[in-house]
């Protein structure tokens, strides 16, 4: 059979041999068709000289390939299944089962065509395993055994490279040579690395040049410039890009940042800011006291800036020493021997400062050390007299007479002036004046008879004073007994947080004692017997003259108890030992997360729950004040009389006004306009009086002044306002709505007034024949006045 290298494209496989040949020459090409062949019996033994035939296999399977991220509207064609049993008569149907069958992949049961109905993503699932079977359509019985095949999702470049560990933080020593490795960045691409260049990533640097570079294939970031100095710039921000498709155009890319920090190396020697220093030192300065501090500056940091100081020359060797301060890297000059201005008044030291950790690479730059001269000037101090013995013990018999010499004290002035000394007794220590002392010699004698049973020990203090300036020179305690009990050193303000845990230290207490034992104080702390069994607090003696107060439980609540009192027993080490009971007040507080109290005690609890008592009282006072003001305003308004004059804007349309106007009936549309009665635009000059007893008079105006008729019937409006004005200024007008009746006929009529009030008083005759020309409405008048004798009727 011939070997074919063409894509199947829906063609059937004839034999297995054909499949093997195709696979051998077309490996990796897309297979889109699978042929089903009928089953046959085992091959018969080959005759002599004949070639044995390979029998056909029922199913010939290979992988199907389908492209991911297909965006077409129609289902994507995957391939075709076909069996040799199928003769095209419609008796065979194809069934597909397995991963994604019927949901992702469908098969045409008649033709065996397989389609993908959903968009596939190789990164979610790279292949699907399915099973196919050919069945008889009538009986639904399989005509071929079920077999398994795979549909692989073919990759496209749809994922950009990503840096899962970015952004990066890296460190590199300053002054590193070019090419020093800083950090390796790694980008991953979710595309198929075995197919094309979709997952082949190339690295490049977008920002950070020319200081750094990156290897395109490995992603290793390296230094690109020499002698990068941390003291000039200590941090750089790089932007690294990873691009797939081997960096070719059209590839997808992703970026990350790399923050490179230059670490320090010892490349800077220490330097003193000055070459010489001078300090004053009082001669009375105690041994081991700090005399002065000097510092050499170093631009490096950390261990590279650690200093060593030493005195290399000078006349102060043995008198002074210099040591480095581990925190500030200063050279601390301290005193080793007592100073005496009268013996030596100044010292000169030459001090060297050098780095402790020197980098050999930079030793060639010069010595990593510097020197400075320090001059120490001793200041003269007027020193107090010094007793030959600071404490003296003297014994005397209680039977000694007054004036008996007990002993002598002696003191000297250490200054070069050697001033004479005067002695005296501090009478605060000898209130009953049992003893006297000679001011010039220091001889102590009795001044009163002594009684051992009353007082066995007298503790007095002798003062030695220079006669030159009468200043206190030295107080010397002759004898001390343990006659004072220890007490708290200060008034402690102790608190415990509501969130405190068991075993938490809430206070450290100490004690003081007015006595001064020769061996120093030693105090012992404990709880009193009645407080030892409490369930709230306990006491721990720290064996250093302090004690710690600890909680024995948690869950303290201010609302339950705002204050606890803890009695503490303090015992000294005197002979005999004295003790005192001191009460420690412990408040329960609301604390923040750092243990700082925010509110304490019951008053603070009220404040946290709402408002303090003072605030509540202030608010109540303000409310009461506002209520009183409101009541006063209401009372004043009620007592205020209603104004006697009506407001000019008061609407007077509530008055009922009646007019004797006959009008012209339904046909008369211009006789009277009600709009004129509602027009309030006419100014009113007078104000109504409201203080007159109500009366209801009826006003009649027989003849108003003549008015000219206007087309808008303004004559009626003017007449009404005139009448209202008259009523407003009338002091006898009622203060309420009243009925005002007016008889106004108007003026300017062609017929003039028909009232008999204005008829001529003369007996002259007048013709009224024109009334007949005025129409049917004046017919009655025309009949009455149309004859001469009618005038006599009206004139009478």
């Amino acid at each position: 059979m011939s070997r074919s290298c063409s894509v199947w494209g829906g063609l059937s496989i004839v034999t297995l041999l054909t499949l093997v040949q195709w696979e051998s020459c077309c490996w990796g090409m897309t297979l889109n068709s699978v042929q089903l062949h009928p089953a046959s019996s085992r091959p018969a033994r080959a005759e002599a000289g004949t070639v044995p035939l390979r029998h056909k296999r029922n199913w010939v399977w290979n992988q199907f390939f389908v492209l991911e991220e297909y965006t077409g509207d129609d289902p994507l064609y995957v391939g075709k299944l076909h069996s040799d049993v199928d003769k095209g008569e419609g008796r065979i149907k194809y069934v597909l089962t397995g991963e994604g069958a019927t949901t992702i992949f469908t098969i045409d049961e008649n033709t065996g065509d397989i389609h993908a109905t959903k968009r596939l993503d190789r990164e979610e699932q790279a292949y699907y395993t399915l099973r196919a079977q050919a069945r008889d359509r009538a009986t639904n019985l399989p005509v071929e055994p079920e077999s398994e095949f795979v549909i692989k999702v073919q990759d496209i470049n749809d994922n950009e490279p990503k840096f899962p560990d970015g952004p990066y933080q890296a460190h590199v020593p300053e002054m590193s040579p070019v090419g020093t490795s800083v950090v390796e960045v790694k980008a991953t691409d979710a595309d198929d690395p075995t197919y094309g260049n979709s997952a082949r990533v190339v690295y490049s640097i977008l920002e950070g040049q020319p200081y750094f570079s990156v290897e395109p294939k490995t992603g290793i970031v390296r230094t690109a410039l020499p002698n990068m100095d941390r003291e000039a710039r200590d941090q750089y921000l790089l932007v690294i890009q990873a691009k797939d498709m081997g960096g070719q155009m059209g590839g997808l890319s992703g970026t990350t940042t790399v923050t490179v920090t230059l670490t320090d190396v010892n490349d800077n020697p220490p330097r003193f800011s000055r070459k010489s220093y001078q300090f004053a030192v009082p001669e009375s300065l105690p041994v081991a006291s700090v005399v002065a501090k000097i510092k050499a500056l170093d631009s490096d940091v950390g261990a590279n800036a650690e200093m060593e100081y030493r005195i290399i020359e000078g006349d102060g060797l043995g008198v002074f020493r210099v040591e480095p301060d581990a925190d500030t890297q200063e050279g601390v000059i301290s005193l080793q021997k007592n100073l005496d201005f009268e013996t030596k008044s100044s010292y000169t030291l030459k001090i060297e400062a050098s780095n402790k950790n020197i980098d050999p690479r930079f030793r060639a730059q010069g010595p990593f050390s510097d020197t400075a001269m320090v001059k120490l000037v001793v200041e003269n101090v007027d020193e107090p007299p010094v007793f030959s013995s600071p404490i003296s013990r003297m014994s005397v018999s209680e039977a000694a007479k007054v004036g008996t010499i007990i002993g002598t004290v002696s003191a000297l002035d250490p200054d070069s002036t050697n001033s004479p000394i005067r002695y005296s007794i501090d009478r605060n220590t000898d209130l009953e004046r049992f003893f006297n002392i000679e001011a010039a010699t220091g001889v102590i004698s009795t001044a009163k008879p002594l009684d051992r049973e009353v007082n066995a020990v007298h503790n007095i203090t002798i003062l030695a004073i220079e006669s030159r300036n009468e200043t206190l020179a030295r107080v010397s305690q002759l004898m001390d007994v343990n006659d004072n009990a220890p007490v708290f050193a200060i008034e402690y303000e102790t608190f415990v947080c509501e969130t405190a845990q068991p075993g938490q230290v809430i206070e450290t207490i100490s004690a003081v004692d007015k006595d001064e034992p020769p061996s120093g104080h030693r105090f012992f702390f404990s709880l009193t017997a009645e407080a030892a069994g409490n369930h709230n607090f306990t006491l721990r003696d720290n064996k250093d003259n302090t004690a710690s107060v600890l909680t024995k439980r948690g869950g303290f609540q201010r609302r339950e108890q705002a204050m606890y009192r803890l009695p503490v027993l303090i015992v000294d080490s005197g002979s005999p030992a004295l003790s005192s009971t001191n009460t420690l007040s412990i408040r329960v507080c609301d604390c923040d997360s750092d243990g700082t109290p925010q509110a304490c005690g019951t008053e603070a609890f009220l404040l946290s729950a709402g408002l303090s008592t003072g605030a509540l009282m202030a608010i109540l006072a303000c409310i009461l004040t506002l209520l009183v003001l409101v009541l006063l305003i209401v009372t004043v308004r009620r007592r205020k009389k209603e104004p006697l004059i009506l407001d000019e804007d008061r609407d007077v349309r509530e008055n009922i006004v009646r007019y004797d106007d006959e009008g012209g009936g339904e046909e008369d549309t211009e006789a009277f306009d009600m709009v004129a009665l509602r027009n309030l635009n006419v100014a009113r000059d007078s104000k109504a009086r409201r203080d007159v007893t109500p009366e209801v008079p009826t006003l009649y105006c027989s003849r108003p002044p003549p008015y000219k008729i206007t087309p808008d019937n303004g004559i009626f409006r003017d007449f009404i306002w005139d009448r209202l004005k008259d009523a407003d200024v009338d002091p006898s007008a009622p203060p309420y709505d009243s009925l005002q009746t007016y008889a106004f006929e108007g003026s300017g009529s062609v017929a003039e007034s028909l009232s008999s009030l204005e008829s001529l008083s003369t007996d002259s005759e007048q013709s009224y024949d024109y009334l007949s020309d005025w129409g049917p409405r004046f017919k009655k008048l025309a009949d009455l006045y149309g004859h001469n004798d009618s005038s006599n009727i009206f004139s009478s």
Side-chain angles (χ1 to χ4, degrees), residues 6-15 19 22-23 29-37 59-65 77-83 94 111-114 149-150:
S6 61
V7 179
W8 291 7
L11 298 178
S12 300
I13 301 176
V14 177
T15 63
L19 171 64
W22 187 91
E23 287 180 344
M29 304 198 60
T30 302
L31 178 65
N32 289 329
S33 179
V34 175
Q35 175 78 30
L36 286 141
H37 297 278
W59 292 93
V60 180
W61 295 113
N62 280 287
Q63 295 178 344
F64 286 99
F65 291 89
Y77 180 76
V78 178
K80 184 180 183 68
L81 298 178
H82 186 71
S83 174
Y94 298 94
T111 64
D113 292 334
I114 302 175
F149 68 98
V150 174

Side-chain angles (χ1 to χ4, degrees), residues 45 47 186 253 270 290 334 354 520 536 658:
R45 184 178 301 274
E47 297 179 1
K186 192 70 175 178
S253 63
V290 175
S334 58
S354 59
N536 300 315
R658 181 174 64 84

Side-chain angles (χ1 to χ4, degrees), residues 317-349:
L317 290 171
V319 180
F320 301 94
R321 69 175 179 180
V322 60
E323 293 179 337
D325 188 318
D327 297 327
T328 63
Q329 299 304 319
E330 293 177 307
V332 180
I333 304 174
S334 58
L335 185 64
Q336 284 187 300
K337 294 182 179 180
N338 289 320
L339 300 177
D340 188 1
F341 174 80
E342 288 73 23
T343 304
K344 188 173 181 59
S345 61
S346 66
Y347 297 87
T348 302
L349 307 175

Side-chain angles (χ1 to χ4, degrees), residues 221 405 609 731 767:
V221 179
I405 296 175
S767 176

Side-chain angles (χ1 to χ4, degrees), residues 69-131:
E69 304 295 346
Y70 174 71
T71 58
D73 296 331
D74 298 329
L76 179 63
Y77 180 76
V78 178
K80 184 180 183 68
L81 298 178
H82 186 71
S83 174
D84 287 343
V85 179
D86 187 2
K87 303 301 181 180
E89 299 173 350
R91 295 177 47 249
I92 302 300
K93 68 174 182 180
Y94 298 94
V95 179
L96 189 67
T97 59
E99 291 181 299
T102 70
T103 58
I104 300 177
F105 302 101
T106 61
I107 187 170
D108 190 326
E109 64 178 13
N110 297 319
T111 64
D113 292 334
I114 302 175
H115 290 83
T117 60
K118 291 185 178 180
R119 186 175 178 180
L120 303 178
D121 188 354
R122 191 202 66 84
E123 286 71 38
E124 292 181 1
Q125 187 166 348
Y127 62 91
Y128 296 84
T129 303
L130 296 98
R131 294 178 298 278

